[in-house]
Amino acid sequence: MKELLEDGRRRMQKSLKTFKEEMARVRTGRASVSLLEGIKVDYYGTKMPIPQMATVTVQEARYIVIQPWDASTVKAIEKAIMESDLGLTPTTDGQVIRITVPPLTEERRRDLVKLVRKMAEEARVAIRHIRRELMDDLKKKKKEGEISEDDFHRYQDQVQKLTDEFIKEIEKVLEEKEKEILTV
């Protein structure tokens, strides 16, 4: 049974990690290297994330500087940023790409809060889906006589505690992101 709970924990951690990565990509009006991590650049037929092709640094709170290791990739990186859904416009001097992250309007902030709440709900649904699968496995084991009624209830409580732990973590990440969006 421990392996069932460990598998559930591992799957929930993966869902939480994915949620945190999605949150990091939401633009808050503050420059961040994580904004560019989801952008893939076509590099000799292979799609690569910008941080694997260049040195990416944040200067002040509104500027991102990208210095490609291979100068021939400047145009490809610039094109990938333009085509992304971030709404950022890069400028280049042929060697270095600079991005100015504009401040958010009040309307855009409200839209972003709605977006992150939707993302949090999707993460909660994913966690509850894992819980349901674990509960179904427990019911199956009880029905087949692999575990007793007492063990069934004990494991059921452990699965619920595990679920509550991850839901609480999602709420914490959501709260921090909302605060970040609204107070930039």
Side-chain angles (χ1 to χ4, degrees):
M1 285 292 96
K2 286 202 185 291
E3 57 275 351
L4 182 77
L5 293 172
E6 286 305 313
D7 177 56
R9 176 176 289 283
R10 196 171 45 256
R11 290 169 52 204
M12 287 181 185
Q13 283 172 333
K14 188 176 179 188
S15 290
L16 180 62
K17 181 179 181 252
T18 301
F19 172 65
K20 286 179 176 180
E21 288 169 356
E22 289 174 350
M23 285 288 124
R25 288 191 196 110
V26 174
R27 189 166 72 88
T28 60
R30 185 178 296 138
S32 168
V33 174
S34 63
L35 287 174
L36 304 176
E37 287 176 357
I39 301 174
K40 305 276 192 232
V41 180
D42 190 19
Y43 184 65
Y44 297 110
T46 306
K47 294 281 188 185
M48 291 184 65
I50 293 172
Q52 290 183 13
M53 302 174 65
T55 303
V56 182
T57 55
V58 175
Q59 293 181 342
E60 301 174 30
R62 300 236 181 264
Y63 302 100
I64 300 174
V65 178
I66 304 166
Q67 192 155 11
W69 300 318
D70 180 355
S72 67
T73 61
V74 170
K75 292 287 182 204
I77 293 172
E78 190 177 22
K79 181 181 176 197
I81 294 168
M82 293 288 280
E83 291 174 351
S84 74
D85 60 354
L86 291 176
L88 299 173
T89 307
T91 57
T92 182
D93 63 7
Q95 300 284 324
V96 176
I97 302 166
R98 289 179 179 76
I99 302 171
T100 302
V101 180
L104 297 172
T105 63
E106 191 59 38
E107 182 181 345
R108 182 69 181 136
R109 288 178 199 274
R110 283 193 299 269
D111 289 345
L112 286 174
V113 167
K114 284 180 192 173
L115 174 69
V116 297
R117 286 181 180 163
K118 181 177 177 251
M119 292 164 75
E121 183 55 31
E122 289 169 1
R124 286 189 290 262
V125 167
I127 297 295
R128 289 191 295 259
H129 180 74
I130 294 166
R131 177 192 60 193
R132 187 177 66 243
E133 289 175 355
L134 294 173
M135 293 295 198
D136 288 347
D137 287 348
L138 286 174
K139 287 175 188 170
K140 183 178 167 191
K141 288 188 184 303
K142 185 182 106 181
K143 186 178 177 185
E144 293 172 355
E146 291 181 40
I147 60 173
S148 67
E149 187 76 29
D150 288 344
D151 285 343
F152 171 74
H153 289 294
R154 189 165 33 88
Y155 287 126
Q156 220 177 7
D157 289 344
Q158 289 176 356
V159 168
Q160 187 58 49
K161 284 178 186 166
L162 186 65
T163 303
D164 293 344
E165 174 187 328
F166 280 92
I167 296 286
K168 188 176 178 182
E169 185 65 25
I170 288 169
E171 295 304 320
K172 190 174 114 187
V173 171
L174 172 63
E175 188 178 311
E176 289 170 6
K177 193 65 173 185
E178 282 183 346
K179 192 169 141 187
E180 184 181 334
I181 290 168
L182 295 172
T183 60
V184 171

